[in-house]
Amino acid sequence: MLLNFIEELRAAGIPASLKEHLVLLEALDREVIERTPEAFYYLSRATFVKDEGLLDRFDQVFQKVFKGVLTDYGQQPVDIPEEWLRKMAERYFSEEEMEQIKALGSWDEIMETLKKRLEEQEKRHSGGNKWIGTNGTSPFGHSGYNPEGIRIGGEGRHGRAIKVWEKREFANLDNTRELGTRNIKVALRRLRRFAREGAAEELDLDETIRGTAKQGWLDVVMRPERHNAVKVLLFLDVGGSMDPYIELMEELFSAASAEFKNMEFFYFHNCLYEGVWKDNRRRWSQRTPTWDLLHKFGHDYKVIFVGDASMSPYEVSHPGGSVEHMNEEAGAVWLQRVAQTYPATVWLNPTPEIQWGYSSSTRMIRDLMGGAMFPLTLDGLDAAMRELTRKKA
């Protein structure tokens, strides 16, 4: 099985040498980990993965090779989760019933009511119209119906929630993905400004010939390598409604990594707030304050946001509107700060441009970007790169 594991890693483009294989075997022989599949997963990942961009690819290989091994074998049996049983009794509402259910009102009224419910509620509820629960008509909970409320856990069904509280797991984008087309790279190349900086490691043939002819002996002249001096900050929206665009995002991420040597990337979800992250596995434990980015990277950086801008308008306009935490400042405040700090800022949207007018949040973010929102198509990329080139720090 281990030999098959090594072959699959290599087939997936993850360097797996004989030396690393022997290191893994030695670690197992010395029993440096517990004899559990989870411990073996972390040991093998630490052994073979040297680039965070390969983490998601490693997970796919590990799941393929060891499928069925990660079981509860040898553990005490557990009860069937209550959530599974509850789902079997999900309630479906007719159109007449939906019409009879009234919304609570404004954002502030809904949030204030939720605060009171949290203070007063003492047990789980199902099928009601007031408390936080399931299968009912309350504005709080999931698996029921309300024209305007807050979904807490569960899965979305009607798309009417103004806020969603749930734990999300996102995978990092794979920056080694092979492109199906080179057209994205060609479009990104419009954003180029070549310069020779750094150590003199490249032979300057013309100056060498000129100096040799002038001096009468071999006069070797070296120069710094010519490279793209453009600096890029890339912010990537991941998870939720962005899942259908993962393949397109990976192609863009791979192309940008190859074209821009001076590029820093960060992840966010839906809208920019006070913190971003580099690794989705540690998105809560290792976050980077957005303020730090604004002070660390100079005004000459080009900023590119990539996201569908599809969310509740409250996520953009209101404090506390985030789907995952209680943000003290509205997303619009942070987007404005970025746009003011970096004059060359654009937003790439993977959804068809014809649909933007139907989304309030998309229109709001487009306005915050000063109209610099472009579709994530080849023509859109070309226009975005022209916009970034035109705007100077």
Side-chain angles (χ1 to χ4, degrees), residues 50-211:
K50 305 298 190 298
D51 182 353
E52 64 180 10
L54 297 175
L55 288 172
D56 184 55
R57 183 172 298 190
F58 176 85
D59 285 354
Q60 295 179 45
V61 173
F62 193 90
Q63 195 274 340
K64 177 182 178 182
V65 176
F66 298 104
K67 186 177 182 180
V69 175
L70 298 174
T71 64
D72 293 328
Y73 177 76
Q75 300 181 9
Q76 295 294 326
V78 297
D79 296 331
I80 297 176
E82 181 183 357
E83 180 69 18
W84 295 6
L85 299 177
R86 194 184 307 154
K87 276 291 185 180
M88 297 175 62
E90 264 195 9
R91 183 177 175 187
Y92 292 89
F93 297 86
S94 66
E95 294 184 5
E96 291 76 11
E97 289 177 312
M98 291 181 181
E99 288 294 330
Q100 295 174 1
I101 301 170
K102 304 297 183 182
L104 274 180
S106 68
W107 164 268
D108 293 331
E109 291 173 324
I110 290 176
M111 295 302 292
E112 183 62 29
T113 304
L114 174 59
K115 181 180 178 181
K116 293 179 180 178
R117 295 285 192 274
L118 290 171
E119 293 173 350
E120 299 172 359
Q121 186 163 333
E122 298 179 351
K123 61 182 181 180
R124 184 182 68 82
H125 287 268
S126 178
N129 61 3
K130 175 181 178 181
W131 299 108
I132 304 169
T134 59
N135 306 321
T137 59
S138 167
F140 316 110
H142 67 87
S143 301
Y145 173 81
N146 193 281
E148 190 175 55
I150 297 176
R151 175 163 63 84
I152 302 176
E155 299 177 357
R157 296 174 57 196
H158 304 286
R160 305 300 297 272
I162 63 171
K163 183 177 176 66
V164 180
W165 271 336
E166 61 182 341
K167 181 181 179 181
R168 296 171 182 258
E169 298 292 342
F170 305 142
N172 294 329
L173 298 180
D174 186 352
N175 67 344
T176 61
R177 177 182 173 84
E178 290 296 328
L179 296 181
T181 175
R182 298 182 60 85
N183 290 339
I184 295 180
K185 287 187 177 181
V186 173
L188 293 178
R189 284 174 186 167
R190 286 194 175 277
L191 189 61
R192 292 190 294 185
R193 179 174 57 81
F194 288 108
R196 297 190 183 276
E197 300 173 349
E201 298 177 345
E202 180 182 83
L203 175 65
D204 189 335
L205 184 58
D206 291 340
E207 287 300 320
T208 297
I209 294 174
R210 186 177 294 109

Side-chain angles (χ1 to χ4, degrees), residues 253-281:
F253 186 46
S254 179
S257 299
E259 288 299 318
F260 305 126
K261 301 305 179 183
N262 297 319
M263 185 186 82
E264 293 287 342
F265 72 91
F266 297 92
Y267 295 116
F268 69 99
H269 182 56
N270 280 0
C271 192
L272 184 71
Y273 296 110
E274 70 279 0
V276 292
W277 55 95
K278 298 278 287 186
D279 188 344
N280 282 302
R281 298 173 184 274

